[in-house]
């Protein structure tokens, strides 16, 4: 399949866009059932594909729906459609996806759409969906082929250290069998032998190391098969598989802007990596660096002592904590409240990582206090490739003026 680029012809016509989007009003109320129907058709017609998916498909069905809706959202935006589908294509390599699989998926997807559209399905609508899907599939296949020229689909690794860091939290260090290049702030998908074909995202808690070892901070989530296996069952010597590094929350050229870091829970891991990278780059020698760590209670202030020790090594690093559900003199307050107290931050470059509610509240607090959106950096907590913001960075002259 030929890949599609922004410079090529638009992926679909304006009429196609209108047809595809209007059809969502018809199938929208049934979209969850449609995802289940799609997988039933796919595995009946192409049973050899079943082994590429986890045993339980609940999460997979939900992700199919979200990915499909994102493609429809971007169907008349060639540049961002390419960016989104390229990420999907590169990320799908770890599942064993090949170019030959895309037509089979498209065939079953259109069958599912036609089933739930009922009388609204027409040859014109079928053609519009076919062209929209083909455009997206071409980008995914092309991105995967290009990615395969430069790096493996997965990295085999094994655990070399496992340390409990508190209730339900483990610090896990793994050694890949070959070099694993990444940038501080990025995240890594991990598959364990206890939950085959279930991949979950974790961020290295440090800048890249010469020996390619990666240390992750993992919290056991109730019902989470991967996180509980890693925290409670994993031991040194156990094998894991790593997907390629992903994520856009990496240090940007700051043009003299000070740095603000905001973290909650194990979201401190990538923030710690960014601070370590800033130290290696010498950024703190000329700029102020502030870190705010939020939690509901003092017991949940994960990693605070570690960051306080780091602030003793780096005189330019200021560390503060915020506890929202416990009365502690000097620490009481939500992250938005504490950020407002110690601002202003409009001349800072901000990096944030934490649970969705905390992340959303902190972003809104910074925007209310004048931080331009393009100076606020984060990767979504859940499935970043499906929800990460897209679009070009602001013009250089705009950045310089703020």
């Amino acid at each position: 399949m030929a890949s599609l680029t922004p410079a090529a012809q638009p992926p679909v016509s304006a009429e196609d866009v209108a047809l595809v989007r209007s059809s969502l009003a018809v199938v929208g109320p049934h979209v969850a059932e449609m995802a289940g129907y799609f997988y039933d058709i796919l595995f009946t017609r192409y049973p050899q594909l079943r082994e590429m998916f986890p045993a339980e498909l609940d999460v997979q069905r939900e992700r199919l729906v979200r990915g499909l809706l994102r493609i429809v959202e971007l169907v008349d935006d060639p540049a961002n459609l390419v960016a989104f589908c390229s990420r999907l294509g590169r990320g799908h390599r770890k599942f064993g996806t090949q170019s030959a699989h895309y037509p089979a998926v498209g065939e079953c997807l259109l069958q599912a759409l036609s089933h739930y559209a009922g009388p609204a399905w027409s040859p014109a609508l079928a053609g519009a969906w076919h062209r929209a899907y083909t455009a997206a599939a071409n980008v995914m296949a092309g991105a995967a082929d290009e990615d395969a020229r430069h790096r493996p689909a997965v990295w085999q690794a094994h655990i070399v250290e496992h340390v409990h860091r508190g209730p339900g939290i483990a610090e896990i260090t793994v050694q890949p069998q070959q070099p694993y290049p990444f940038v501080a702030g990025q995240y890594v998908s991990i598959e364990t032998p206890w939950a085959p074909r279930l991949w979950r995202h974790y961020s290295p808690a440090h800048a890249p190391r010469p020996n390619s070892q990666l240390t992750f901070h993992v919290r056991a989530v109730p019902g989470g098969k991967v996180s509980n296996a890693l925290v409670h069952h994993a031991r040194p010597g156990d094998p894991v598989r790593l997907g390629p590094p992903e994520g856009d929350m990496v240090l940007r050229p700051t043009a003299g802007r000070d740095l603000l870091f905001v973290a909650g829970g194990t979201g401190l891991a990538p923030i710690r990596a960014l601070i370590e990278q800033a130290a290696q780059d010498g950024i703190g020698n000329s700029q102020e660096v502030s870190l705010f760590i939020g939690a509901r209670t003092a017991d949940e202030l994960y990693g605070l002592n570690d960051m306080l020790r780091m602030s003793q090594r780096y005189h330019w690093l200021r560390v503060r904590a915020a506890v929202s559900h416990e009365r502690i003199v000097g620490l009481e307050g939500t992250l938005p409240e504490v950020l407002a107290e110690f601002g202003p931050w409009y001349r800072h470059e901000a990096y944030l990582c934490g649970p969705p509610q905390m992340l959303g509240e902190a972003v809104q607090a910074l925007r209310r206090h004048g931080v331009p959106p393009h100076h606020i950096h984060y990767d979504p907590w859940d499935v970043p490739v499906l929800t990460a913001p897209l679009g070009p960075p602001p013009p250089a002259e705009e950045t310089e003026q703020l």
Side-chain angles (χ1 to χ4, degrees), residues 151-238:
R151 59 184 183 180
V154 298
W155 282 256
Q156 305 294 334
H158 65 279
I159 296 173
V160 294
E161 188 174 14
H162 188 287
V163 180
H164 287 282
R165 290 287 299 270
I169 297 178
E171 182 179 287
I172 300 170
T173 301
V174 307
Q175 177 67 66
Q177 293 181 6
Q178 60 192 106
Y180 188 93
F182 75 101
V183 179
Q186 288 188 305
Y187 56 89
V188 178
S189 52
I190 300 179
E191 181 196 39
T192 72
W194 302 279
R197 299 179 296 282
L198 276 180
W199 295 81
R200 294 295 181 264
H201 299 118
Y202 300 100
S203 298
H206 52 85
R209 296 166 172 167
N211 62 3
S212 282
Q213 284 189 355
L214 303 167
T215 297
F216 303 99
H217 296 176
V218 181
R219 183 188 298 273
V221 178
K225 292 186 177 181
V226 176
S227 63
N228 278 279
L230 286 171
V231 172
H232 299 301
H233 303 296
R235 296 292 183 270
D238 287 335

Side-chain angles (χ1 to χ4, degrees), residues 111-128:
Q111 178 63 42
L113 286 163
S114 69
H115 178 80
Y116 283 92
W121 194 256
S122 66
L125 181 56

Side-chain angles (χ1 to χ4, degrees), residues 67 95 100 103 132 134 142 223 250 271 286 293 300 304 313 321 324 327 354 378:
F95 304 130
T134 300
V250 299
I271 297 300
S286 57
I293 304 175
E300 295 178 0
L304 175 60
R313 294 197 304 271
S324 60
R327 297 185 63 86
Y378 60 92

Side-chain angles (χ1 to χ4, degrees), residues 63 66-67 70 83-92 94-95 187 201 246-247 379-380 382-390:
R63 290 180 179 178
R66 291 168 66 180
R70 195 78 190 274
F84 175 64
C85 291
S86 294
R87 291 179 182 178
L88 285 180
R90 291 190 293 267
H92 284 173
K94 65 177 177 285
F95 304 130
Y187 56 89
H201 299 118
E246 302 176 81
D379 284 319
D382 182 13
V383 187
V385 72
L386 296 181
T387 53
L390 296 170

Side-chain angles (χ1 to χ4, degrees), residues 351-382:
Y351 299 84
L352 303 86
C353 190
Q357 182 176 351
M358 182 228 83
L359 187 64
E361 292 174 351
V363 168
Q364 291 304 314
L366 292 177
R367 294 189 65 174
R368 283 196 303 270
H369 290 277
V371 182
H374 53 270
H375 289 303
I376 303 175
H377 311 288
Y378 60 92
D379 284 319
W381 182 269
D382 182 13

Side-chain angles (χ1 to χ4, degrees), residues 165 169 217 219 263-266 268-269 272 275 291-295 297-312 317-323 328 330-331:
R165 290 287 299 270
I169 297 178
H217 296 176
R219 183 188 298 273
T266 51
L268 180 61
R272 188 189 187 286
I275 294 173
L291 167 64
F292 289 82
I293 304 175
T297 68
D299 289 340
E300 295 178 0
L301 275 174
Y302 169 75
L304 175 60
N305 289 337
D306 183 33
M307 300 312 299
L308 288 173
R309 285 191 293 269
M310 183 178 285
S311 69
Q312 293 174 353
L317 175 62
R318 299 187 302 169
V319 179
R320 294 188 175 90
V323 174
I328 302 177
L331 297 180

